[in-house]
Amino acid sequence: MINNVKAWLEDGIVDVFLGYREMDHHHLPHCFTREHMEEVDDLVISQVRYPLEKIATHMTEMDPDIKIGMLARDCNDRALNVLFLWNQLKAENVSTLTVNCCPSRLKEHGDCSYLTPEKAGVFKKQVGVDNNLEVEELDTYGRKERLNRWMYEFQKCIKCYGCRNICPVCFCKECSLEHDELIKTGPLLPEIPIFHMVRAVHMAGRCIDCGLCEAACPMDIPLRLLYGKVSQIVKDVFDYDTGSSALESPFNILGDKVALEPKPMEPAIAVNE
Amino acid sequence: MTVKRITFLQELLGLLGLEERLHLSWISSAEAQKFVQVVSDFTEKIRSLGPNPLLAFRESKIAVAAELMPLNSKGDDYDQQRQSMA
Amino acid sequence: MECQFVPSVCSYCGTGCGVLFEVINGKIVGTLPMKTHPVNEGKLCLKGWNLHEHINSFMRVKQPLVKTFGRFIKTDWQEAISLTADRFRGIINQYGPDSIGVLVSAKITNEENYLAQKFARAVIGTNNVDHCARL
């Protein structure tokens, strides 16, 4: 693999290569270039994951024609598909070196085993949402208690914007979460549940279930579950597997191929006096 | 595009148990009768669903989860009512 | 296009979470948490996520400033230090040494903290030393 990278750099297929390197027993992301070829010998594949695609978008912003190579796991591949779709990266400028990885919820052979969240304590299981649940199990909560359980989780939010900053497919310059007139930016406790629901709606058609948001949340809010439910809804209603192809998406304004009818209103239940 | 978003949002609000509180309908300014019909029906429906559950959280920002919690998820008669009507 | 990742420690509170700075072409453009750092394990608070804005802010003070006739005027270090020393001496002579208090911080080293309290006690002659964590 190291030889592959060296060959790519020398032949000019890529200008820079984003991978991981070990420094002082920490695996850190590193940008390997042609000028420092000897560093490529330190390239490692480690269990830690950083949003390399986001760094690629920053670099492309400054220099639109730069050719970037990166170490790509399954989740990275899906993220790159989404970024190609939304015109943040050019497909011909990015080359990926596929790395074996654990599978995930969106792909059958996947199950990112090192993403397992911590075991939930007794109180959290009683009044909140357990991070370890599957998306289907979320329906077992009754109608009335769902709101209470999710509000318990959302109230812990400290509005660090970690979930948005580290998300590889979040790229808006003017984020609605920071817009003063949509969501008040002042008070520390964000307006819940609108903060997380706005984020969830924006993740429709974009979230690829990489799990970086839940890993970055200091309060252990079950974000993977929330956005997993969003992905499931997108699959059920629009029949679209997020991240599987870089060609079209039901949420691209030009791709209006999905024809839907608005749901009819269900009649009112008689009020029990 | 609007229909896609509203359908999606209705399903997502189902996660919080609020899904029936959103409805979309296209009405031209000449269809006054239809407008009256839709608005009256929706008002009745919201009235039957009860007050906004989020109001309870508005006064105190911290949810007193344990006290507001009906802990039995099986005894929810809302779904049974729906099924008997269908 | 020069892109580096520089590991560092957050400069705000006393916890000291590990951060990685994204440096592109010699300028810090982004902050990421360090996943393998034992203190924070990949999580940061709001202040930590915005370190790159703090470093490059136009509001940073780059030179000593002296308030003259109600406006801040740039000066150099020598003049700033002698002016401060003269004013301290004047205040001590007029009001006594206990009129000056010294505040130390969690983000300077232990040795600097020791130096600050020694300065307060031996040079100025006051016991009024306090710490930012108590505020």
Side-chain angles (χ1 to χ4, degrees), chain C:
Chain C
M1 169 84 59
E2 284 281 319
C3 174
Q4 282 159 323
F5 294 94
V6 182
S8 176
V9 175
C10 173
S11 59
Y12 280 110
C13 75
T15 303
C17 299
V19 291
L20 271 183
F21 288 121
E22 254 176 77
V23 179
I24 296 188
N25 289 339
K27 196 164 177 261
I28 300 185
V29 294
T31 316
L32 287 171
M34 216 196 299
K35 294 263 168 123
T36 42
H37 201 262
V39 171
N40 60 328
E41 287 178 6
K43 306 182 196 226
L44 283 180
C45 77
L46 181 68
K47 302 201 277 191
W49 276 106
N50 294 317
L51 280 170
H52 56 282
E53 305 210 5
H54 176 243
I55 291 172
N56 292 328
S57 168
F58 67 92
M59 292 194 272
R60 279 191 82 176
V61 175
K62 292 193 183 119
Q63 261 183 305
L65 302 168
V66 175
K67 199 165 201 176
T68 329
F69 301 117
R71 298 175 64 189
F72 280 114
I73 313 286
K74 290 186 190 158
T75 79
D76 62 342
W77 279 102
Q78 197 52 46
E79 192 183 316
I81 292 178
S82 42
L83 183 70
T84 319
D86 290 338
R87 288 282 291 141
F88 272 157
R89 181 51 56 196
I91 291 175
I92 292 174
N93 287 340
Q94 190 177 1
Y95 298 105
D98 270 340
S99 57
I100 297 188
V102 174
L103 290 171
V104 296
S105 155
K107 282 321 285 184
I108 60 180
T109 60
N110 279 352
E111 287 75 16
E112 287 171 352
N113 276 325
Y114 178 79
L115 184 63
Q117 66 88 27
K118 204 60 165 172
F119 177 74
R121 290 191 166 117
V123 177
I124 298 185
T126 171
N127 256 344
N128 297 339
V129 181
D130 209 332
H131 188 268
C132 73
R134 297 214 314 162
L135 292 170

Side-chain angles (χ1 to χ4, degrees), chain A residues 26 29 31 49-50 58 212 217, chain C residues 3 5 22 33 35-36 43:
Chain A
H26 286 290
C31 182
R49 298 176 314 138
Y50 284 92
H58 289 168
L212 283 171
C217 180
Chain C
C3 174
F5 294 94
E22 254 176 77
K35 294 263 168 123
T36 42
K43 306 182 196 226

Side-chain angles (χ1 to χ4, degrees), chain A residues 123-193:
Chain A
F123 187 69
K124 181 154 153 130
K125 280 200 200 142
Q126 199 181 10
V127 304
V129 178
D130 190 0
N131 288 42
N132 290 310
L133 289 181
E134 300 289 321
V135 176
E136 291 79 22
E137 292 176 27
L138 270 181
D139 292 332
T140 55
Y141 293 135
R143 269 291 170 75
K144 296 203 173 77
E145 66 170 310
R146 268 182 213 178
L147 185 64
N148 289 336
R149 280 192 191 254
W150 280 105
M151 288 299 272
Y152 170 76
E153 294 293 335
F154 292 156
Q155 86 188 35
K156 297 190 279 182
C157 176
I158 58 172
K159 215 168 76 166
C160 67
Y161 290 110
C163 47
R164 178 207 59 172
N165 285 340
I166 211 171
C167 177
V169 289
C170 239
F171 52 77
C172 295
K173 292 273 179 289
E174 273 190 20
C175 184
S176 320
L177 298 176
E178 282 181 348
H179 200 280
D180 204 24
E181 296 178 9
L182 295 174
I183 297 186
K184 284 208 264 305
T185 51
L188 179 65
L189 275 185
E191 295 182 336
I192 44 174

